[in-house]
Amino acid sequence: MKPIPLLCSIMLILSFLGFAVPGLSGEPTEKIQQTTDKILSILTNPSLKDLSKAKERKRLIRNAVDERFDWEEMAQRSLARHWDQRTEEEKKEFVHLFSDLLERTYMSKVESYSGEKVKYEGETTSGDYASVKVKIATQKNKDISVEYRLKRKRNDWFVYDVSIEGVSLVNNYRTQFNSIVIQSSYENLVKRLKAKVALN
């Protein structure tokens, strides 16, 4: 199974860790900023800098991300038409594997944060859906476009996809997962996800 493009994996992390530059904002943008601030406070907490605190630091970061990412929605969209064919137990297992895959593959890059800046460029909302657009200024003075897609549930906003330079994380995984299921089986997909998670 191929990882999503390196640019996407790095920008996914940096987009949550950049210092915000003021811009247009509404409730969805504020929710993204709240998660950003929470993660930054963990990374800059002197009491969590020691190597002995590594596991606790990662746990706190994962908790902060879990509060904003709707893993079930992302997993369902990534599995697409194969989702409805799964039992409730299979769905729970897949959501768990999917969230672990993203955590172990990409969230480990969080600690490589080096002060990239983020400008929130505005948002659009339509009913229970919203899009928050940001620009990330890298150290090489190149602007990277990132778009968070959120859905309102339980009077809160949750991320169900992230698009970097027009590349959707969910669509990328959907293509890969669909190919594996069609060419072999759903069981093989789960086996490969478990192996991938175990390696990271």
Side-chain angles (χ1 to χ4, degrees):
M1 183 184 302
K2 297 179 180 178
I4 65 174
L6 179 61
L7 174 65
C8 287
S9 66
I10 294 174
M11 289 303 109
L12 171 63
I13 302 305
L14 296 184
S15 59
F16 256 109
L17 297 179
F19 290 117
V21 176
L24 297 174
S25 67
E27 186 178 2
T29 302
E30 290 172 359
K31 296 297 183 177
I32 296 293
Q33 290 177 316
Q34 286 173 12
T35 299
T36 299
D37 292 343
K38 188 172 293 188
I39 294 174
L40 283 173
S41 69
I42 295 168
L43 288 174
T44 57
N45 187 337
S47 67
L48 296 172
K49 291 288 188 181
D50 193 88
L51 285 177
S52 64
K53 298 290 186 177
K55 286 186 178 181
E56 181 181 357
R57 185 170 60 245
K58 288 180 179 179
R59 179 184 62 81
L60 291 172
I61 291 172
R62 172 64 190 261
N63 288 345
V65 174
D66 283 348
E67 291 175 0
R68 190 57 48 211
F69 273 72
D70 188 338
W71 297 120
E72 182 174 352
E73 185 79 18
M74 293 181 76
Q76 180 176 349
R77 288 171 179 267
S78 296
L79 199 56
R81 63 192 178 94
H82 305 293
W83 177 265
D84 289 338
Q85 301 169 28
R86 310 276 65 86
T87 66
E88 288 305 313
E89 286 303 313
E90 285 176 329
K91 289 177 180 178
K92 289 179 181 179
E93 178 186 39
F94 187 79
V95 171
H96 179 73
L97 283 171
F98 184 84
S99 62
D100 277 357
L101 174 68
L102 264 65
E103 177 197 13
R104 300 193 184 200
T105 304
Y106 308 119
M107 296 306 170
S108 61
K109 297 179 175 64
V110 165
E111 294 180 3
S112 65
Y113 167 69
S114 56
E116 287 76 7
K117 296 183 185 299
V118 172
K119 179 180 179 180
Y120 290 84
E121 297 204 312
E123 67 181 52
T124 58
T125 59
S126 178
D128 290 332
Y129 290 88
S131 169
V132 176
K133 294 184 178 181
V134 304
K135 282 282 181 70
I136 299 171
T138 68
Q139 292 183 332
K140 295 182 179 180
N141 295 319
K142 179 181 179 181
D143 286 342
I144 304 295
S145 298
V146 179
E147 180 182 355
Y148 287 103
R149 293 165 187 159
L150 302 95
K151 183 176 182 179
R152 181 161 48 199
K153 290 184 178 180
R154 304 183 297 276
N155 295 319
D156 203 350
W157 291 94
F158 300 93
V159 175
Y160 68 86
D161 194 11
V162 182
S163 179
I164 299 94
E165 291 290 284
V167 179
S168 160
L169 182 147
V170 166
N171 287 348
N172 190 290
Y173 275 122
R174 181 187 297 129
T175 300
Q176 294 186 52
F177 294 167
N178 183 59
S179 178
I180 293 170
V181 173
I182 290 177
Q183 292 178 18
S184 55
S185 66
Y186 173 76
E187 288 71 23
N188 186 44
L189 171 61
V190 170
K191 181 180 179 180
R192 294 177 68 169
L193 285 175
K194 288 180 177 178
K196 184 71 175 177
V197 167
L199 285 174
N200 291 284

